[in-house]
Amino acid sequence: MIEKRRYNNTGRRLIIAGAVVLLFLFYVVRLFMLQIVSDDYKKSADSNAFQKRTLYPSRGEIYDSKNRLLVVNQPSYDIMCIMREVKQLDTVDFCATLGIDRAVFVSRMAAIRNTPGYSPYTPQVFMNQLSADESGALQEKLFKFPGFNIRTRSLREYRYHNAANVLGYTGEVDKKDIEADDYYVQRDYSGRSGVERSYENILRGEKGEEILLRDSRGRIKGRYEDGKYDVEPVSGKKITLSIDIDLQTYGEALMGEKSGSIVMIEPATGKVLCLVSAPTYDPSLLNGRQLGDHYQTLGRDSKRPLLDRSIMGSYSPGSTFKPAQGLILLQEGIINREKTYTCYNGYPFLGGHPLCHTHFSPISLVPALATSCNAYFCWGLHEMLDSRSRYDSIQSAFEIWKKHIVSMGYGYPLGIDLPGENRGFIPNKDYYNKAYKRRWNSSSIISIAIGQGEINATPLQICNLAATIANRGYYIVPHVVSEIQDTPLAEQYVTKKYTGIETAHYDMVVEGMRAAVTGGTCRQLYLSDVEVCGKTGTVQNPHGRDHSAAIAFAPMNNPRVAIVVYIENGGFGAQVAVPIARLMLEKYFYGNVPAYEQWLEQRMKTWSTAPNSPNYIKKEGVTTHDD
């Protein structure tokens, strides 16, 4: 009996000893996790002694081509809070100071706690983008509200009411931004569109940090070791645009309530001098605390002011495409200077369709460009695609045609330094093989000969064609930033891209475009002291009135500027696009429009493209006929 009792006591001792060992191991593991693996205690200790504040850099300023300041920074203030330190807060006084009610306070505090990655030890944004007056009222009473402090940041300020789609705007980063770049945290700002977005890494600068010493009550006592371990922020770099804000402002004024685009490029450099998209908006609307409300209002606008039509709009180029067509036909040996085709108010091979206006016949290339003869370019496409003397099939002929068109900047994004550029559309042989089950010829797609049908391009691409012709066979990728502080431009913005078409062929096309100004469809572009070359376009529109288009460059030799004007529902090219192009060229060359043109300036500013508006200019001596 005694032996059995001893056995039971031994078992109990072993069980108790085992429990003690397990408990000891549990505490050892727990202490290891708390002190070595977990940083909760470290955060708590650090937060009791120090407070780290992010120092935000000034965003880089933006200037125009004449060094006029377009975008600058102004101070803005955020209210920050460290949640674990918000104790015994007089919410009535706090809310009254900020001019908010208690429901707003409660919802904001809840939103902070529900933020991904939330920590009660780190500063969180309670309210942002306060003015100096708003933050000043809180600053005076900040000692009464433990856990809250004010952080100074900067807000964009726009010196002009123009170029909204070029400049872009800044807004809060989203989850994707934070995941893609560890520079950002919740409530940071970055460029959301335009140059602000394209050059975000240049403009944003580098964040700094300061370490502040706190006493046992959490009060800031000064900088830790006199700022020895602080990191100063590095301001963003200055950017200079190629945009001339005077040209941009004038172009937007001429567009008025119309929809469309004006683009001007310096051919020799690819610098974009103005990039007008209409309708537009004041860039200051997408700034500050009302950004969200204003963005929704603009987004709901049926006129789509947020759409940058210059680079995102996709249009049939119409007769502005004929110079490109002529260049291909010359390069492939289909036509030459003397080659003539017949035109009897239309393309005879298809019974007079597409239609054409009255002019002499037969006609060669130079007068065909001057009068914008539809039939001439249809005949040319017919000979290229349907004749087997040069190419073994229509498919191979068409791919050569497309290769030339693509070399001129159509069918793919040009690569402008702005986000969202549309590629336009140039079909290939597979597209037509599928559409016509491999049974097609030039008559099936004859509209592409005159820039209609499936052909689509952005105004930027159309203007780039004018620049390429001005350069007699090359272009530099259009760009809106001409200089970055201490940083060279990307290689593509200084490199010539050649089309592969012989210079002599460009000379003939230039001759035709000059003839269009001296006695053809765009005589309104004639300037007495500047040799302007141009081409009109009246673009068929199945949804309403035709679109009005025109391209030009000047001077004819050693050209300084190329332009496109594209007006949705504007009617004939000579009615709206040509007069606006003339005024823009006068503004460029003379600085101001001559007094005798003021009637035309006023007419264009108020010209309406509404369905019930006049479809021609009732002014004696003004040519209104077009292709």
Side-chain angles (χ1 to χ4, degrees):
M1 194 65 173
I2 293 173
E3 291 292 333
K4 187 174 182 180
R5 233 183 247 128
R6 285 179 181 173
Y7 175 79
N8 289 340
N9 288 339
T10 301
R12 289 193 191 96
R13 283 196 297 270
L14 289 174
I15 292 172
I16 293 170
V20 170
V21 170
L22 287 174
L23 186 61
F24 175 77
L25 289 174
F26 173 79
Y27 278 112
V28 169
V29 171
R30 182 61 178 159
L31 287 170
F32 176 80
M33 293 297 293
L34 289 174
Q35 296 185 19
I36 306 300
V37 178
S38 174
D39 61 354
D40 285 351
Y41 279 100
K42 183 178 184 300
K43 284 182 179 178
S44 179
D46 285 349
S47 66
N48 285 330
F50 307 109
Q51 181 175 321
K52 294 180 180 180
R53 287 183 182 173
T54 299
L55 301 176
Y56 285 87
S58 294
R59 198 166 176 85
E61 296 174 334
I62 302 176
Y63 294 77
D64 89 329
S65 61
K66 296 180 179 176
N67 211 34
R68 288 170 291 203
L69 188 57
L70 303 180
V71 186
V72 69
N73 301 302
Q74 63 175 350
S76 174
Y77 305 92
D78 296 343
I79 301 176
M80 310 297 294
C81 71
I82 300 175
M83 296 296 280
R84 70 181 298 274
E85 297 178 4
V86 179
K87 300 174 181 177
Q88 298 180 341
L89 180 68
D90 185 344
T91 56
V92 174
D93 190 8
F94 183 78
C95 292
T97 302
L98 291 177
I100 61 175
D101 57 38
R102 194 174 187 283
V104 172
F105 173 84
V106 172
S107 65
R108 287 182 182 272
M109 297 297 273
I112 289 173
R113 292 188 180 92
N114 293 326
T115 300
Y118 159 75
S119 170
Y121 300 103
T122 58
Q124 309 288 327
V125 178
F126 175 80
M127 258 179 104
N128 61 353
Q129 297 183 346
L130 273 70
S131 67
D133 291 340
E134 291 173 322
S135 66
L138 179 65
Q139 186 74 56
E140 294 177 358
K141 304 169 69 173
L142 202 57
F143 68 94
K144 298 175 62 177
F145 309 129
F148 288 89
N149 61 75
I150 296 175
R151 177 180 68 183
T152 303
R153 299 190 66 172
S154 61
L155 198 63
R156 292 307 238 178
E157 179 182 302
Y158 300 90
R159 296 293 178 87
Y160 295 82
H161 303 295
N162 310 95
N165 284 311
V166 176
L167 297 172
Y169 70 98
T170 58
E172 283 192 18
V173 296
D174 55 28
K175 184 178 179 181
K176 290 182 179 178
D177 297 318
I178 296 171
E179 291 174 349
D181 192 336
D182 58 11
Y183 176 91
Y184 302 111
V185 296
Q186 286 286 338
R187 298 284 187 148
D188 271 358
Y189 290 83
S190 70
R192 312 310 293 171
S193 69
V195 168
E196 293 279 18
R197 178 175 174 183
S198 296
Y199 290 87
E200 166 67 12
N201 291 347
I202 298 290
L203 291 167
R204 73 187 185 185
E206 299 176 16
K207 294 176 182 175
E209 183 181 68
E210 66 176 352
I211 305 173
L212 303 176
L213 192 62
R214 297 145 60 105
D215 64 14
S216 59
R217 296 185 179 182
R219 295 174 297 191
I220 301 297
K221 304 302 292 182
R223 299 166 71 186
Y224 175 60
E225 292 197 11
D226 294 324
K228 179 180 178 180
Y229 299 101
D230 291 354
V231 178
E232 291 298 318
V234 178
S235 297
K237 294 181 179 180
K238 166 187 170 182
I239 281 181
T240 301
L241 303 185
S242 57
I243 298 292
D244 181 332
I245 196 61
D246 284 343
L247 278 176
Q248 183 77 24
T249 301
Y250 187 62
E252 291 182 14
L254 289 176
M255 291 300 288
E257 296 298 317
K258 297 178 280 294
S259 294
S261 173
I262 303 172
V263 182
M264 298 179 78
I265 295 174
E266 187 175 80
T269 63
K271 293 178 181 179
V272 178
L273 307 177
C274 80
L275 196 72
V276 175
S277 176
T280 186
Y281 60 94
D282 186 335
S284 62
L285 288 175
L286 298 186
N287 197 31
R289 288 161 64 184
Q290 300 302 313
L291 185 157
D293 293 338
H294 290 157
Y295 187 88
Q296 289 185 11
T297 300
L298 292 169
R300 289 193 295 263
D301 191 329
S302 61
K303 295 181 179 179
R304 304 179 70 189
L306 293 174
L307 175 70
D308 187 346
R309 287 167 167 81
S310 298
I311 65 172
M312 297 177 182
S314 186
Y315 305 98
S316 295
S319 293
T320 64
F321 194 71
K322 289 174 181 174
Q325 183 79 331
L327 289 165
I328 296 172
L329 298 176
L330 287 167
Q331 182 66 27
E332 290 300 308
I334 309 298
I335 62 172
N336 54 36
R337 177 178 289 276
E338 292 75 28
K339 180 74 172 181
T340 61
Y341 293 116
T342 57
C343 175
Y344 301 107
N345 294 326
Y347 178 39
F349 190 77
L350 290 179
H353 295 279
L355 298 173
C356 195
H357 54 267
T358 303
H359 56 74
F360 64 88
S361 176
I363 193 169
S364 60
L365 176 62
V366 170
L369 286 168
T371 61
S372 199
C373 174
N374 285 338
Y376 185 91
F377 298 96
C378 292
W379 278 119
L381 186 68
H382 164 66
E383 283 205 30
M384 181 172 180
L385 297 186
D386 295 346
S387 172
R388 297 285 73 84
S389 62
R390 292 182 177 84
Y391 316 102
D392 59 6
S393 68
I394 188 173
Q395 285 82 5
S396 61
F398 189 80
E399 286 304 294
I400 291 172
W401 179 90
K402 179 180 178 179
K403 180 181 177 182
H404 285 307
I405 288 295
V406 169
S407 76
M408 298 181 204
Y410 288 97
Y412 297 91
L414 283 167
I416 190 172
D417 49 348
L418 289 173
E421 183 189 0
N422 194 317
R423 64 178 291 170
F425 182 70
I426 301 294
N428 59 21
K429 62 180 176 59
D430 296 330
Y431 178 90
Y432 287 127
N433 283 340
K434 182 178 180 180
Y436 295 101
K437 298 180 180 179
R438 301 189 65 86
R439 300 179 63 182
W440 55 285
N441 56 30
S442 66
S443 298
S444 310
I445 61 171
I446 201 64
S447 292
I448 71 169
I450 56 173
Q452 298 275 177
E454 292 76 27
I455 304 296
N456 275 312
T458 65
L460 179 70
Q461 290 172 327
I462 300 171
C463 188
N464 188 66
L465 173 66
T468 304
I469 297 171
N471 289 332
R472 285 25 173 209
Y474 76 86
Y475 67 91
I476 294 175
V477 173
H479 50 284
V480 297
V481 170
S482 61
E483 186 178 339
I484 305 171
Q485 179 184 351
D486 303 324
T487 305
L489 289 180
E491 189 68 21
Q492 69 189 86
Y493 301 131
V494 294
T495 304
K496 295 178 180 179
K497 302 186 73 170
Y498 288 89
T499 65
I501 292 176
E502 295 173 23
T503 302
H505 300 326
Y506 280 96
D507 290 336
M508 202 181 309
V509 167
V510 168
E511 185 181 342
M513 293 177 69
R514 177 60 181 161
V517 175
T518 57
T521 57
C522 46
R523 289 194 289 272
Q524 287 182 80
L525 284 176
Y526 182 84
L527 301 178
S528 61
D529 56 348
V530 179
E531 289 185 300
V532 181
C533 301
K535 182 72 197 75
T536 50
T538 301
V539 185
Q540 295 177 10
N541 174 24
H543 307 293
R545 183 185 297 172
D546 291 343
H547 302 317
S548 177
I551 60 172
F553 63 88
M556 181 172 72
N557 299 308
N558 300 315
R560 293 166 53 191
V561 63
I563 184 173
V564 65
V565 178
Y566 202 105
I567 310 297
E568 296 178 16
N569 310 119
F572 289 133
Q575 286 182 295
V576 189
V578 168
I580 289 177
R582 176 191 178 93
L583 293 167
M584 291 297 295
L585 289 174
E586 288 177 326
K587 180 72 173 177
Y588 174 81
F589 284 108
Y590 309 141
N592 290 294
V593 173
Y596 60 83
E597 295 278 54
Q598 290 180 359
W599 71 268
L600 182 61
E601 179 181 75
Q602 186 60 29
R603 169 76 72 169
M604 289 300 102
K605 285 181 178 180
T606 58
W607 180 273
S608 174
T609 56
N612 60 349
S613 64
N615 60 5
Y616 61 91
I617 302 173
K618 296 181 179 179
K619 180 75 176 178
E620 185 178 354
V622 177
T623 302
T624 59
H625 74 276
D626 188 43
D627 49 277

